[in-house]
């Protein structure tokens, strides 16, 4: 058996792979350069006064065939726009998944509402509609359906549940540009939906976010929220009036210029990511101990990450070892994605935000943030290695990744260890 790189052997992947943090792994070209220059030469770099962000909003709305889009300063801001649009009462509850970026959840707390964690379906690691139903109370107002790593939630069931119970369905598509559910694009099934344009995403302008909706009322409140709740219909500064507590989440014209170039490429980016992922799926067919990401038959995955699942009775410790060995072989990955479900973060277990008050949980919280709250999520996280996926991976790169996984799997397989 060959010596693994982590044990002092040679790396399986010896060339630098395209990655979201380098130019080889991004799709910037003369399109973005031209638009940035155009924005600079216009002399106005603010959305209020410029045209780039407005063009981005119009073009993105048209691409998803919805009437309204709002660009903003980050994905977290985009989630915040969606939540703020609902005008919640303090203590209202919003269902959230335990496996996502914290940016999916922080805005609920900013609005003095309570995030209620619901467990996930073990294979997709996205919200399990049956568990969501169990966690509804008379204070529940909304569900944030996070499409994880490119795999969409079971949107038929979540949509039916939201409709039956009068809840707002928010889609967080930050990790799932151009994924599909029964032929419908991510972001077009919920009442209001959001995307992140942060550096690691399918498309990026460094930091940024987008919100889309067909609901005029939600659009109007979200748009106001992003701009100090300042209706811009009055043009004298002295006559300005500010309608409710809000933020300045405006996107700049420079971000807008890059984002405008990027949205035009998203379909192609997703197509190339799918091609590379499906090749790796095939190459792993006979490799022991590992499973490729599960793709629900109703969906088309868009592969922000490639969730490799390590199936082994030795559990989390083995996944950790496997992941570290894989990274040493030259495969960029987050070993175990997030290590713990988000409810295990100090933000929830030791509230330290509003002095010592424990607010808002002290006032309205019902969940106890202990292990066992969402057992499927805990078990699934013990099995996951998140390989950083990229549209510029060539077939030869994918073959090298497969060879690295295979080498590590042979080294750690129960058969190898019983010799
Ligand atoms: C699912 C999800 N939601 C929200 C966010 C927050 O986005 P940002 O980092 O752009 O604020 C992210 C980003 O990492 C994400 O993956």
């Amino acid at each position: 058996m060959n010596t693994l790189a982590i044990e002092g052997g040679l790396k399986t992947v010896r060339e630098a792979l395209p990655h979201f943090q380098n130019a080889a792994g991004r799709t910037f070209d003369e399109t973005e350069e031209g638009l940035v220059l155009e924005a600079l030469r216009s002399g106005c770099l603010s959305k209020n006064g410029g045209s780039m962000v407005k063009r981005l909003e119009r073009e993105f709305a048209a691409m998803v065939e919805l009437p309204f889009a709002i660009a903003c300063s980050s994905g977290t801001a985009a989630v915040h726009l969606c939540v703020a649009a609902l005008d919640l009462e303090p203590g209202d509850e919003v269902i959230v998944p335990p496996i996502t970026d914290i940016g999916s959840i922080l805005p609920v707390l900013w609005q003095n509402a309570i995030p209620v964690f619901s467990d996930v379906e073990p294979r997709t690691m996205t919200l399990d509609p049956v568990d969501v139903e169990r966690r509804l109370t008379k204070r529940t107002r909304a569900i944030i359906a996070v499409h994880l790593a490119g795999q969409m939630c079971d949107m038929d069931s979540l949509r039916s549940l939201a409709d039956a119970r009068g809840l707002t369905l928010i889609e967080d598509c930050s990790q799932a540009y151009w994924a599909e559910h029964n032929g419908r694009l991510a972001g077009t099934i919920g009442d209001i939906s959001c995307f992140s344009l942060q550096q690691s995403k399918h498309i990026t302008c460094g930091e940024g976010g987008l919100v889309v909706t067909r609901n005029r009322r939600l659009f109007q409140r979200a748009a106001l929220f992003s701009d100090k709740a300042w209706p811009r219909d009055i043009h004298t500064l002295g006559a300005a009036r500010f309608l409710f507590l809000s933020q300045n989440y405006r996107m700049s014209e420079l971000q807008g210029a890059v984002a405008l170039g990027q949205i035009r490429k998203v379909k192609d980016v997703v197509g190339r990511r799918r091609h590379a992922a499906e090749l790796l799926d095939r190459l792993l067919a006979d490799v022991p101990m590992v499973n490729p990401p599960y793709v629900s038959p109703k969906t088309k995955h868009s592969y922000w990450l490639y969730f490799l699942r390590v199936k082994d009775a030795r559990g989390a410790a083995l996944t950790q070892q496997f992941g570290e060995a894989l990274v040493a072989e030259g495969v960029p990955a987050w070993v175990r994605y997030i290590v713990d479900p988000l409810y295990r973060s100090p933000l929830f277990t030791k509230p330290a935000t509003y002095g010592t008050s424990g607010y808002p949980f002290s006032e309205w919280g019902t969940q106890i943030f202990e292990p066992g709250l969402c057992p499927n999520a805990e078990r699934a996280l013990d099995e996951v290695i998140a390989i950083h996926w990229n549209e510029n991976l060539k077939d030869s790169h994918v073959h090298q990744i497969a060879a690295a996984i295979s080498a590590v799997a042979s080294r750690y397989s129960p058969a190898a260890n019983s010799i």
Side-chain angles (χ1 to χ4, degrees):
M1 191 183 303
N2 289 336
T3 311
L4 295 180
I6 203 165
E7 298 163 334
L10 286 176
K11 281 181 170 190
T12 313
V13 183
R14 297 203 202 139
E15 59 188 308
L17 298 179
H19 188 266
F20 63 77
Q21 279 169 334
N22 59 43
R26 301 286 65 187
T27 53
F28 306 134
D29 59 21
E30 54 284 357
T31 309
E32 288 81 5
E33 287 169 17
L35 288 164
V36 168
L37 213 53
E38 192 184 326
L40 270 176
R41 286 180 178 158
S42 78
C44 179
L45 298 185
S46 167
K47 172 181 179 179
N48 290 327
S51 66
M52 211 49 87
V53 176
K54 293 184 187 96
R55 277 161 71 184
L56 168 69
E57 291 172 340
R58 273 198 304 276
E59 207 168 297
F60 195 69
M63 284 170 64
V64 294
E65 297 180 17
L66 290 176
F68 306 114
I70 307 162
C72 57
S73 53
S74 72
T76 307
V79 178
H80 203 168
L81 262 56
C82 295
V83 176
L86 308 188
D87 197 14
L88 299 173
E89 296 292 332
D92 279 352
E93 293 176 358
V94 177
I95 300 286
V96 297
I99 308 177
T100 177
D101 180 87
I102 194 66
S104 305
I105 296 173
L106 292 173
V108 177
L109 288 167
W110 276 113
Q111 292 311 109
N112 292 324
I114 297 290
V116 171
F117 289 96
S118 180
D119 209 354
V120 300
E121 196 276 319
R123 292 178 303 181
T124 62
M125 297 169 65
T126 60
L127 279 179
D128 170 7
V130 176
D131 195 65
V132 170
E133 186 159 18
R134 256 187 242 126
R135 307 219 187 202
L136 301 180
T137 72
K138 56 181 191 316
R139 294 209 70 105
T140 315
R141 295 287 174 269
I143 302 169
I144 302 185
V146 178
H147 307 313
L148 192 69
Q151 168 62 61
M152 284 182 73
C153 301
D154 176 353
M155 291 306 286
D156 288 342
S157 305
L158 291 177
R159 184 69 270 177
S160 309
L161 186 59
D163 290 343
R165 305 291 284 262
L167 307 174
T168 302
L169 183 58
I170 297 172
E171 278 183 82
D172 183 346
C173 314
S174 299
Q175 306 185 2
Y177 281 91
W178 260 241
E180 287 178 30
H181 187 280
N182 283 335
R184 296 176 70 186
L185 280 183
T188 64
I189 303 169
D191 299 291
I192 184 163
S193 306
C194 55
F195 298 77
S196 163
L197 287 157
Q198 182 266 338
Q199 179 70 31
S200 69
K201 299 302 190 294
H202 293 79
I203 54 172
T204 183
C205 60
E207 306 288 349
L210 288 159
V211 169
V212 293
T213 181
R214 60 173 60 79
N215 182 313
R216 180 180 295 277
R217 185 179 49 82
L218 294 180
F219 162 70
Q220 283 171 339
R221 194 166 174 97
L224 280 167
F225 186 81
S226 74
D227 188 19
K228 306 178 185 173
W230 177 351
R232 298 279 174 172
D233 49 356
I234 294 176
H235 297 291
T236 30
L237 211 51
R241 64 225 196 279
F242 309 100
L243 303 180
F244 49 83
L245 182 63
S246 57
Q247 293 278 0
N248 172 1
Y249 280 155
R250 295 189 302 262
M251 176 183 270
S252 81
E253 288 287 279
L254 292 175
Q255 290 166 293
V258 178
L260 181 59
Q262 289 276 286
I263 60 169
R264 295 170 180 169
K265 298 174 182 170
V266 69
K267 199 170 166 196
D268 178 58
V269 162
V270 170
R272 288 190 281 136
R273 283 175 180 245
R274 267 188 202 133
H275 166 87
E278 284 161 12
L279 174 59
L280 185 55
D281 290 355
R282 291 195 294 280
L283 295 173
L284 295 182
D286 297 322
V287 176
M289 290 176 67
V290 294
N291 285 332
Y294 172 77
V295 182
S296 150
K298 290 178 184 171
T299 65
K300 280 196 186 170
H301 204 296
S302 72
Y303 298 99
W304 177 53
L305 298 168
Y306 186 98
F307 271 176
L308 187 72
R309 298 287 281 262
V310 179
K311 284 280 182 196
D312 190 87
R314 288 165 284 178
L318 193 271
T319 306
Q320 183 72 30
Q321 256 185 320
F322 196 114
E324 285 170 13
L326 202 56
V327 171
E329 291 301 325
V331 177
W334 288 312
V335 179
R336 304 192 56 217
Y337 183 48
I338 54 172
V339 172
D340 288 313
L342 290 176
Y343 53 77
R344 295 298 298 147
S345 296
L347 170 65
F348 302 103
T349 57
K350 298 189 186 89
T353 299
Y354 297 102
T356 53
S357 66
Y359 185 86
F361 299 106
S362 51
E363 195 78 21
W364 294 293
T366 52
Q367 286 192 317
I368 298 170
F369 301 116
E370 284 179 348
L373 183 60
C374 297
N376 289 342
E378 291 171 18
R379 271 193 297 272
L381 283 175
D382 284 349
E383 297 175 354
V384 164
I385 295 167
I387 299 178
H388 299 168
W389 213 238
N390 198 275
E391 56 278 12
N392 293 336
L393 285 167
K394 297 189 196 119
D395 287 4
S396 61
H397 295 141
V398 179
H399 278 270
Q400 292 175 63
I401 294 171
I405 296 170
S406 177
V408 175
S410 312
R411 174 69 182 74
Y412 292 118
S413 77
N417 283 281
S418 65
I419 294 168

